[in-house]
Amino acid sequence: MLIHHTQRDSKGVFYVGDGDSPIAELVYTKPAFDKMILEHTEVAEELKGQNVGYHLVEAAVEYARQHQFKILPLCPFANAVFKKKPEYQDVLMD
């Protein structure tokens, strides 16, 4: 599965499918140069049960690691993933 990423100014999205109408997405904002707030995850019905949401969160975590960002997972789904994945704690905002 190919996950794309776009960022404009302080907003960004990791997504699957077409950028104009993605079939799965994780939307975030960057309130500071070293912080990401994961705001919303949405996956189309046709992709449910395929761990697409997990892959989107994983892409955000890898991006944060590469750029030394910290993540605040306000999105309920992303927050649940962080609670299940202790290996993501290194990028979790204090």
Side-chain angles (χ1 to χ4, degrees), residues 8-41:
R8 289 196 181 103
D9 300 320
S10 64
K11 297 190 179 286
V13 61
F14 293 92
Y15 65 95
V16 175
D18 184 323
D20 293 327
S21 56
I23 54 176
E25 66 181 359
L26 171 60
V27 177
Y28 69 90
T29 58
K30 287 187 74 307
F33 77 95
D34 62 344
K35 294 177 177 55
M36 292 174 68
I37 298 174
L38 304 185
E39 295 184 339
H40 177 72
T41 305

Side-chain angles (χ1 to χ4, degrees), residues 51-71:
N51 293 323
V52 175
Y54 280 100
H55 292 298
L56 291 169
V57 174
E58 180 180 49
V61 167
E62 289 305 316
Y63 183 78
R65 285 178 177 150
Q66 289 172 359
H67 295 89
Q68 291 81 47
F69 296 156
K70 292 293 185 180
I71 293 176

